[in-house]
Amino acid sequence: MRAGARLALYGAGLAVAFGGAFAAAGAVIPDRVVAGWTDRGEMNQHDAGKSTNEAQTEESTPNGVSIEAGGFVLAPIAAPGDVGARGELSFQVQTLSGEAVTEFAEAHEKDLHLIVVRADGAEFRHVHPQLDEATGTWSLPWTWDSAGTYRVYADFTPATEGAEGVTLTRTVEVAGTFSPVTSEVRRTAEVDDFDVTLDGDLTAGTTSDVTVSVARDGKPVTALEPYLGAFGHLVALRDGDLAYLHVHAQGDAPRVGSTAGPEIGFMAEAPTAGRYLLYFDFQVDGTVHTAEFVVDAGHGEMHGASDETHSDDADGH
Ligand SMILES: [Cu+2]
């Protein structure tokens, strides 16, 4: 199995690519735009010899819904089992033969990005555990704030030359009284003393401009600081299967001391119509904040769906 090629297709196929498929298409990416799967998207171009059937099958496999990908497995996660219990969250990335992986390639200033979110989209965390290079165990202090089923994502790049990024995921159950949150479309977020707004519509199968704007006390914030090598990070999860899309700001890495804002642009390509949960990380005055949005992607034009009635003037909804 050509793991690299398959991963490339994950990126392009799941297309949220929020940039990856966009890059693969050879289009021009504006400055300040964001692309997470650029590498995977480019890999896709080298894959032209693949049969259409094979490519289509693989493209339908979304990123970040499996414990296994690219020859790696996310081993069971150890974590406190109850709300409020202080402890540690730890895990290993292993090869298919069960060996712990101890070397990773740095991406966006970290060897591994850990995303933890409750299955209803609440309780989002984006953190960076420490690796014990002797054992291959990643860990960090951990306390759950609420009960429920959680999805834990390990987003990393293998140390092998030319390797593509891998996202593995597992569920973790946390005991306690569970109060699920029903997601509703939300384009503005109040986080700490910031008002953050998401503009732009998502349409399935097409690339859309999405802009995040940050204000404080009604004034635009132009003091967004570099964080993990970008002025802002966007994680997108597809509601329903929590397929994962980690997006970083495109363009030159910000210089130390430089700032940006109030707007950060992203390219978004939703693979399917329906709901997406977006988490925007940004840093001001040395503190990282996360704004949460919920948006619905509309149905785009379906290619090859010739046997379906298609209305070209269906703009009335
Ligand atoms: Cu990270």
XYZ file of all heavy atoms in Angstrom, residues 193-232:
286
model
N -12.403 38.669 26.207
C -13.030 39.958 25.896
C -12.949 40.290 24.410
O -12.991 41.440 24.006
C -12.425 41.096 26.741
C -10.911 41.148 26.613
O -10.339 40.187 26.067
O -10.311 42.139 27.053
N -12.906 39.254 23.596
C -12.855 39.447 22.141
C -14.186 39.051 21.500
O -14.857 38.122 21.955
C -11.747 38.600 21.523
C -10.374 38.983 21.980
C -9.773 38.323 23.042
C -9.684 40.021 21.366
C -8.506 38.678 23.474
C -8.417 40.386 21.795
C -7.831 39.718 22.848
N -14.535 39.787 20.456
C -15.667 39.411 19.612
C -15.095 38.938 18.281
O -14.420 39.696 17.583
C -16.592 40.599 19.383
C -17.249 41.043 20.680
O -17.880 40.194 21.334
O -17.100 42.228 21.050
N -15.372 37.699 17.946
C -14.785 37.111 16.752
C -15.917 36.743 15.797
O -16.930 36.174 16.210
C -13.945 35.863 17.102
C -13.159 35.387 15.890
C -13.000 36.163 18.262
N -15.743 37.110 14.536
C -16.793 36.917 13.542
C -16.271 36.104 12.367
O -15.139 36.301 11.920
C -17.283 38.287 13.010
O -17.682 39.089 14.115
C -18.449 38.115 12.053
N -17.099 35.195 11.886
C -16.757 34.391 10.712
C -17.618 34.835 9.546
O -18.851 34.824 9.637
C -17.003 32.906 11.007
C -16.671 31.944 9.880
C -15.170 31.682 9.852
C -17.420 30.637 10.044
N -16.972 35.243 8.450
C -17.704 35.632 7.246
C -17.377 34.682 6.111
O -16.265 34.156 6.027
C -17.325 37.062 6.838
C -17.870 38.084 7.817
O -19.088 38.058 8.053
O -17.071 38.869 8.349
N -18.333 34.516 5.229
C -18.136 33.641 4.078
C -18.983 32.386 4.207
O -19.221 31.903 5.305
N -19.429 31.901 3.065
C -20.280 30.715 3.053
C -19.514 29.522 2.511
O -18.686 29.657 1.616
C -21.510 30.963 2.172
C -22.444 31.979 2.801
O -22.644 31.906 4.035
O -22.960 32.839 2.069
N -19.830 28.368 3.047
C -19.249 27.129 2.536
C -20.224 26.482 1.562
O -21.427 26.430 1.820
C -18.989 26.147 3.683
C -18.026 26.565 4.791
C -17.829 25.407 5.761
C -16.695 27.000 4.208
N -19.673 26.028 0.440
C -20.477 25.278 -0.513
C -19.772 23.968 -0.794
O -18.571 23.955 -1.090
C -20.645 26.066 -1.824
O -21.248 27.321 -1.536
C -21.513 25.290 -2.808
N -20.489 22.882 -0.691
C -19.881 21.570 -0.882
C -19.228 21.471 -2.250
O -19.813 21.850 -3.261
C -20.929 20.480 -0.715
N -17.998 20.984 -2.276
C -17.330 20.706 -3.529
C -16.674 21.892 -4.200
O -16.066 21.743 -5.255
N -16.792 23.070 -3.612
C -16.129 24.227 -4.194
C -15.282 24.910 -3.129
O -15.484 24.721 -1.941
C -17.137 25.261 -4.743
O -17.873 25.792 -3.641
C -18.091 24.637 -5.730
N -14.338 25.705 -3.592
C -13.488 26.424 -2.651
C -14.142 27.742 -2.280
O -14.577 28.486 -3.151
C -12.114 26.681 -3.292
O -11.566 25.434 -3.687
C -11.178 27.334 -2.298
N -14.212 27.985 -1.006
C -14.884 29.194 -0.525
C -13.930 30.019 0.317
O -13.095 29.483 1.034
C -16.097 28.817 0.333
O -16.884 27.818 -0.274
N -14.075 31.326 0.219
C -13.300 32.212 1.089
C -14.005 32.331 2.423
O -15.206 32.596 2.484
C -13.204 33.610 0.471
C -12.225 33.644 -0.668
O -11.083 33.207 -0.461
O -12.608 34.090 -1.762
N -13.241 32.144 3.462
C -13.763 32.334 4.815
C -12.828 33.298 5.521
O -11.611 33.161 5.436
C -13.816 30.987 5.569
C -14.250 31.203 7.004
C -14.746 30.021 4.860
N -13.404 34.281 6.184
C -12.598 35.276 6.877
C -13.007 35.345 8.339
O -14.192 35.415 8.651
C -12.788 36.671 6.238
O -12.478 36.578 4.850
C -11.874 37.689 6.899
N -12.009 35.319 9.193
C -12.261 35.484 10.621
C -11.787 36.876 11.015
O -10.678 37.289 10.655
C -11.502 34.415 11.431
C -11.746 34.606 12.920
C -11.929 33.016 11.000
N -12.635 37.615 11.722
C -12.295 38.972 12.152
C -12.346 39.053 13.666
O -13.266 38.531 14.293
C -13.285 39.991 11.581
O -13.438 39.817 10.194
N -11.355 39.726 14.231
C -11.260 39.821 15.692
C -11.392 41.279 16.111
O -10.732 42.161 15.557
C -9.911 39.256 16.188
C -9.844 39.299 17.712
C -9.697 37.837 15.677
N -12.276 41.524 17.074
C -12.461 42.880 17.607
C -12.475 42.820 19.131
O -12.730 41.775 19.727
C -13.770 43.481 17.092
N -12.167 43.962 19.717
C -12.248 44.078 21.176
C -12.790 45.459 21.491
O -12.304 46.452 20.951
C -10.864 43.874 21.797
C -10.866 44.009 23.314
C -9.625 43.411 23.946
N -8.386 43.866 23.313
C -7.170 43.417 23.655
N -7.036 42.518 24.599
N -6.106 43.869 23.034
N -13.810 45.510 22.304
C -14.461 46.782 22.640
C -14.910 47.511 21.375
O -14.805 48.730 21.287
C -13.515 47.686 23.446
C -13.118 47.046 24.768
O -13.935 46.283 25.310
O -11.992 47.297 25.221
N -15.357 46.745 20.386
C -15.860 47.352 19.165
C -14.792 47.828 18.207
O -15.102 48.370 17.151
N -13.525 47.616 18.547
C -12.447 48.066 17.659
C -11.708 46.865 17.075
O -11.484 45.868 17.767
C -11.459 48.929 18.438
C -12.053 50.229 18.922
C -11.043 50.990 19.772
C -11.703 52.182 20.456
N -11.160 52.416 21.802
N -11.298 46.999 15.815
C -10.547 45.901 15.191
C -9.249 45.633 15.946
O -8.574 46.577 16.366
C -10.240 46.423 13.785
C -11.172 47.557 13.577
C -11.499 48.133 14.923
N -8.928 44.375 16.099
C -7.687 43.981 16.766
C -6.627 43.720 15.696
O -6.804 42.853 14.838
C -7.895 42.727 17.628
C -6.562 42.208 18.153
C -8.839 43.031 18.785
N -5.558 44.501 15.738
C -4.487 44.324 14.758
C -3.240 43.745 15.410
O -2.173 43.712 14.816
C -4.121 45.677 14.105
O -3.768 46.599 15.137
C -5.290 46.224 13.314
N -3.401 43.266 16.621
C -2.262 42.770 17.392
C -2.252 41.247 17.491
O -1.759 40.681 18.460
C -2.281 43.386 18.790
N -2.799 40.582 16.470
C -2.731 39.116 16.464
C -1.267 38.705 16.313
O -0.573 39.171 15.415
C -3.552 38.530 15.313
C -5.045 38.864 15.323
C -5.730 38.214 14.127
C -5.699 38.430 16.618
N -0.836 37.841 17.199
C 0.578 37.449 17.237
C 0.787 36.089 16.585
O -0.121 35.263 16.546
C 1.036 37.396 18.706
C 0.948 38.747 19.398
C 1.099 38.638 20.902
O 1.032 37.509 21.438
O 1.287 39.689 21.548
N 2.005 35.850 16.116
C 2.303 34.512 15.582
C 2.114 33.459 16.664
O 2.522 33.662 17.808
C 3.778 34.607 15.176
C 4.039 36.061 15.008
C 3.159 36.752 16.011
N 1.465 32.386 16.296
C 1.275 31.269 17.216
C 1.450 29.992 16.401
O 0.751 29.777 15.425
C -0.123 31.334 17.843
C -0.505 30.116 18.633
C 0.263 29.686 19.716
C -1.632 29.379 18.303
C -0.086 28.565 20.433
C -1.994 28.254 19.017
C -1.222 27.852 20.084
O -1.562 26.731 20.791
N 2.422 29.198 16.775
C 2.722 27.974 16.022
C 2.991 28.284 14.558
O 2.562 27.557 13.661
C 1.595 26.957 16.156
C 1.262 26.535 17.596
C 0.045 25.630 17.606
C 2.460 25.843 18.238
N 3.685 29.381 14.321
C 4.122 29.683 12.970
C 3.066 30.259 12.055
O 3.223 30.226 10.835
N 1.997 30.788 12.643
C 0.954 31.391 11.825
C 0.219 32.426 12.668
O 0.368 32.465 13.889
C -0.014 30.337 11.315
N -0.604 33.233 12.012
C -1.378 34.236 12.755
C -2.719 33.691 13.216
O -3.495 34.388 13.836
C -1.589 35.481 11.907
C -0.366 36.337 11.804
C 0.246 36.544 10.581
C 0.189 36.917 12.934
C 1.380 37.344 10.486
C 1.327 37.700 12.843
C 1.922 37.915 11.620
N -2.991 32.469 12.886
C -4.235 31.878 13.343
C -4.337 30.461 12.831
O -3.756 30.129 11.793
